[in-house]
Amino acid sequence: MSAQNTAVLPYGPGAIAEAARLIAAGQPVAMPTETVYGLAADAGNGEAVARIYAAKGRPSFNPLIVHVRDIAQATEIAIFDEQARTLAARHWPGPLTLVLPLREGAPIASLVTAGLPSVALRVPAHAAMQALLDAANRPLAAPSANASGRISPTRAAHVLASLGGRIPLIVDAGATAHGLESTIVALTGGAPRLLRPGPLDLGLAPARAARIEAPGQLASHYAPAKPVRLGATAAAPNEWLIGFGAIAGDATLSASGDLVEAAANLFERLHEADAAAPPLIAVAPIPAAGLGAAINDRLRRAAAPA
Ligand code: TXA
Ligand code: MG
């Protein structure tokens, strides 16, 4: 991605107005929260979310946490049962993320959940992030604001060192209170499962999958049920072809060969291919550079035998 000037503005009305303007323009903005600095983008805009991945240089797509203003906004996105309601009422705003069933028709880009039928939500306690949620009037997807492989930033200077030249704005509100990412609890059926220990101790033991897997990896990743063939320049009989660039296919990730658009469309196209009549899926070659690395990583996993 091309280098750009990264502004660092002290938290205040001017910084929030500029951040809201950038969010509306589909750009990612680094924001303080009470846990760590996050790289926020409009969760309803797939290309804005793809720009988070482009800036972080993350070689894979993981589902991201969606930040919302309050429980009312959260219930537009996820389905809350009694237990979820109780936990949210007790701990929000605060460093607790709840993974809940995604509501049908929720205004969330499929890249945010990496195609999963669940979504991670939290109401942050930091005044700056709350002010941006109000000003932008959008749910905000935000992973930690560090380049891939670097530790999570607890100061604006950490963000600048890691993402300077790759994002347009960092809002500086000093050091974060917790300095550690939020506690993540899944409530997607059965007993609550601790997916990531964090500042809030609910007395839950880490879920087994969370213990044996590498950080950032998930037990369940969305993958199509059908066999997937990669690097396809034409569809064989019985194949649904997902195109890219000059290879049109039955549906395309991006007719113009734009990797940001392709990332935004990836999970939509895979779900559509899974639901289509042909029993096999083929995917056109995707360049390896930039966001192409994360797209190819996800496609290779989709193509690997379960
Ligand atoms: O403190 C925090 O939570 C920070 C600040 C910025 O809010 N955010 C953060 O986001 O750490 P992120 O995107 O780096 O954490 C995402 C993690 C994933 O690695 C995954 O473990 C979990 O949240 N996650 C998200 N959606 C999930 C889902 N649908 N199912 C299971 N786990 C999910
Ligand atoms: Mg992180």
Side-chain angles (χ1 to χ4, degrees):
M1 81 174 335
S2 54
Q4 56 180 305
N5 191 42
T6 301
V8 181
L9 297 178
Y11 166 50
I16 295 303
E18 176 61 3
R21 187 189 68 76
L22 287 162
I23 294 290
Q27 293 299 318
V29 173
M31 291 297 299
T33 81
E34 77 278 29
T35 58
V36 299
Y37 276 73
L39 187 57
D42 180 350
N45 178 342
E47 297 195 14
V49 175
R51 289 189 188 101
I52 292 177
Y53 283 98
K56 283 176 68 88
R58 215 180 206 180
S60 61
F61 296 125
N62 287 322
L64 304 177
I65 295 172
V66 176
H67 299 68
V68 291
R69 210 165 24 220
D70 50 27
I71 296 181
Q73 193 176 28
T75 57
E76 292 169 14
I77 297 169
I79 297 165
F80 280 68
D81 63 9
E82 195 63 36
Q83 200 169 30
R85 235 168 239 293
T86 303
L87 277 175
R90 198 171 289 162
H91 299 291
W92 283 355
L96 174 66
T97 295
L98 296 177
V99 175
L100 300 169
L102 182 65
R103 190 175 283 287
E104 198 170 328
I108 297 297
S110 60
L111 189 58
V112 170
T113 61
L116 294 172
S118 56
V119 62
L121 289 170
R122 84 178 188 98
V123 177
H126 198 290
M129 192 63 160
Q130 290 178 344
L132 181 59
L133 285 163
D134 281 337
N137 198 25
R138 303 288 305 157
L140 299 174
S144 51
N146 52 282
S148 179
R150 305 276 298 271
I151 57 169
S152 293
T154 58
R155 294 180 176 277
H158 300 163
V159 182
L160 189 64
S162 177
L163 296 178
R166 304 169 72 94
I167 57 174
L169 175 64
I170 301 168
V171 175
D172 185 355
T176 62
H178 294 296
L180 190 67
E181 284 103 334
S182 62
T183 303
I184 304 181
V185 175
L187 292 172
T188 46
R193 285 171 303 125
L194 180 64
L195 298 185
R196 182 172 74 185
L200 182 71
D201 184 359
L202 292 173
L204 296 168
R208 241 238 237 102
R211 235 178 314 184
I212 56 173
E213 280 177 276
Q217 296 295 317
L218 292 171
S220 63
H221 268 300
Y222 168 73
K226 297 174 181 175
V228 178
R229 180 171 71 92
L230 304 182
T233 51
N238 294 330
E239 279 182 346
W240 173 273
L241 177 62
I242 299 175
F244 179 81
I247 298 168
D250 295 287
T252 185
L253 289 168
S254 170
S256 64
D258 180 318
L259 289 169
V260 169
E261 186 185 9
N265 285 332
L266 178 62
F267 292 99
E268 226 89 65
R269 291 294 95 87
L270 286 173
H271 278 290
E272 185 180 280
D274 227 3
L280 303 172
I281 300 171
V283 187
I286 310 295
L291 271 175
I295 296 171
N296 280 307
D297 169 79
R298 179 41 50 101
L299 288 172
R300 274 193 299 274
R301 291 184 208 219

